[in-house]
Structures are given as structure tokens and as C-alpha cells.
Amino acid sequence: FIKLLNPENDTIHIGHDLESQTIDIDTSVYIDEEGGLAITLVDTPGFDDSREGVTDTDILGKIASFLQDDGGRKLNGIIYLHRISDPRMGATAKKNLRVFKELCGEKNFGNIRIVTTNWTYVDESEGNRREADLSKLAFKPLLDGGAEMRRQDKELESAKAIISELKRKTPVVLKIQEELSAGRSLGDTSAGAVVWEEMKEMQKKHEKQLEDLKNEMEEAKNMNDEELQAELTEERQK
């Protein structure tokens, strides 16, 4: 999206594989053709970063720090990108959406545009069906709160139209900024609580898997099955 508006910006990378591309917060300036207004575009890393050692807490911390810099930044608009080519919204995407909603805050939903991308990868009728389902289910709370859906289906023309809408919005302070300014730690913010809850669930799942492996190894030991013991030991070390 940002690359369309700023094609000469070499710091913005487009991801075509499973490896995360955006490492840190990246900003660039787009000069609006209508009135020559300089608009700062902000590209943030996504949650569930594919790089080893990078956690959702790290990503949330980077976003929060950026928002709090310079005495606190206000945003005219927040864009949530969703690939219409994805056949369904899985558990990870739903969790990321929960973090996004808590990060922004319900009173700021009117400044949000949910932008669907990858329309060239789906049949139009199928894309229309998915869009309708998303508006009735996953994105309904945002839409009910004032957010609007837009299609990124005409390349640069679509991107310019979306930016043109958002530049007219009254700048807002996000919920996470208000919570941090009130003295909360990152983990105690509403968005941080969602991330922490997910991390605890993952830890519990991992601990159960280890316990199951331990029990299987004990059974294999009692059965004197050395080959199975070796396989389970290898699995436990992964």
C-alpha cells in the first residue's frame, strides 16, 4: 500500500513469502496531489513476526514507543490491511484483530479503514462473498463503531482515494497511548493484555506437549522400546 504511494522509498519492502519484511517502524512522506499537503505514512511490523526471537510483545512495544515519541503522536487515520485472497480468517488473524481493536480504542473506530487487498487473486464473485462475510462477522464490531471497508483493487488510484478520505479526519490519540500516559505498563494495557493472554495459552500448550512426550517416553522405557525412546527424545529437543 505505502509502496504504491512512495515507489522511490527503498526502505519499504513488499513481502511475497512467509518471511516478515518490516523490521522496525518506518515513515515516509507522501505529497498529496490535491493540495500539496505533506502526509506522513507509517509502516509498522505485523504481529506473529516470522523472525526467530521476535515476539508480539516486542512488536507492540515498538508501536507504543513510536506513538509516545515527541510528546505523543496523533493519527488522522489507521489502516488495517486484509488479504481477500485468504479463504478464511484463522485463529492468529483473529487474535491480531483483537490486539488492533484494543490498541486503537472503540472511540477511534471512525478513523479506521479496513482495506482488502489481493483482489486479482480471487474470482470477483468469491471476493464479494468473502467481503460480505467479513463485514458480518470478523469486522462487524469495527464497522458498527464507525470504521469503513475499502478495496485496494485499483492499485495507486485506490490508495490515493483512501488517503484522501483519511486526511480529512480529525487526528486522534489511540487507546494504548492514553493508557500508557495514565501510568500503565505495556503489559497492563488492553492491547498488552490480549498479547499476554495468548502467550500464556501458548505456554500452557507447550507444557502439555512436553508432559505428553514425557509420559510416552516413560511408557517406551517400560516396554524396552529403544527405537521409540530415541524418536521421542529427538522430538522433545525440537
Side-chain angles (χ1 to χ4, degrees), residues 5-6 28-33 37-41 160 163:
L5 296 166
N6 268 335
S28 58
V29 176
Y30 164 69
I31 306 300
D32 179 51
E33 295 176 352
L37 183 67
I39 300 172
T40 300
L41 306 175
K160 285 182 176 180
I163 294 299

Side-chain angles (χ1 to χ4, degrees), residues 16 19 33 40 65 71 78 86-88 93 102 122-124 133 149 166 168 176 182 190 193 203 216 220:
H16 296 293
E19 187 69 21
E33 295 176 352
T40 300
S65 294
I78 311 101
D86 291 348
R88 64 186 60 83
E102 293 298 341
V122 294
D123 176 82
E124 185 176 0
D133 287 345
M149 291 184 73
L166 292 175
R168 296 179 171 85
I176 193 170
S190 300
Q203 183 179 2
E216 289 181 33

Side-chain angles (χ1 to χ4, degrees), residues 128-140:
N128 291 338
R129 185 190 66 77
R130 292 179 185 178
E131 184 181 51
D133 287 345
L134 288 166
S135 66
K136 295 173 185 175
L137 298 170
F139 295 140
K140 189 176 187 303

Side-chain angles (χ1 to χ4, degrees), residues 1 80-86 115-122 150-153:
F1 185 91
Y80 184 92
L81 297 175
H82 177 80
R83 295 184 299 264
I84 201 68
S85 54
D86 291 348
V115 178
T116 50
T117 64
N118 284 13
W119 280 89
T120 56
Y121 293 95
V122 294
R150 294 290 182 267
R151 294 184 180 186
Q152 175 60 38
D153 58 355

Side-chain angles (χ1 to χ4, degrees), residues 2-154:
I2 294 179
K3 192 68 172 177
L4 285 171
L5 296 166
N6 268 335
E8 72 283 354
N9 190 335
D10 295 331
T11 64
I12 299 172
H13 303 285
I14 301 174
H16 296 293
D17 51 28
L18 297 178
E19 187 69 21
S20 298
Q21 295 296 317
T22 304
I23 299 173
D24 292 304
I25 307 291
D26 184 76
T27 62
S28 58
V29 176
Y30 164 69
I31 306 300
D32 179 51
E33 295 176 352
E34 292 180 347
L37 183 67
I39 300 172
T40 300
L41 306 175
V42 183
D43 188 24
T44 68
F47 293 103
D48 292 295
D49 196 289
S50 59
R51 287 163 295 152
E52 186 176 354
V54 180
T55 67
D56 284 353
T57 302
D58 296 330
I59 300 300
L60 185 62
K62 287 184 178 183
I63 294 172
S65 294
F66 174 82
L67 291 171
Q68 292 295 79
D69 281 349
D70 299 327
R73 290 185 165 99
K74 290 186 177 182
L75 306 179
N76 289 71
I78 311 101
I79 295 174
Y80 184 92
L81 297 175
H82 177 80
R83 295 184 299 264
I84 201 68
S85 54
D86 291 348
R88 64 186 60 83
M89 182 173 278
T92 297
K94 289 178 180 177
K95 184 265 294 181
N96 292 344
L97 184 58
R98 286 176 59 207
V99 176
F100 177 78
K101 288 189 291 186
E102 293 298 341
L103 187 149
C104 294
E106 188 172 354
K107 70 178 182 179
N108 298 320
F109 284 2
N111 288 64
I112 293 174
R113 290 296 178 269
I114 303 165
V115 178
T116 50
T117 64
N118 284 13
W119 280 89
T120 56
Y121 293 95
V122 294
D123 176 82
E124 185 176 0
S125 60
E126 176 63 17
N128 291 338
R129 185 190 66 77
R130 292 179 185 178
E131 184 181 51
D133 287 345
L134 288 166
S135 66
K136 295 173 185 175
L137 298 170
F139 295 140
K140 189 176 187 303
L142 284 169
L143 298 173
D144 287 347
E148 297 180 22
M149 291 184 73
R150 294 290 182 267
R151 294 184 180 186
Q152 175 60 38
D153 58 355
K154 295 180 181 177

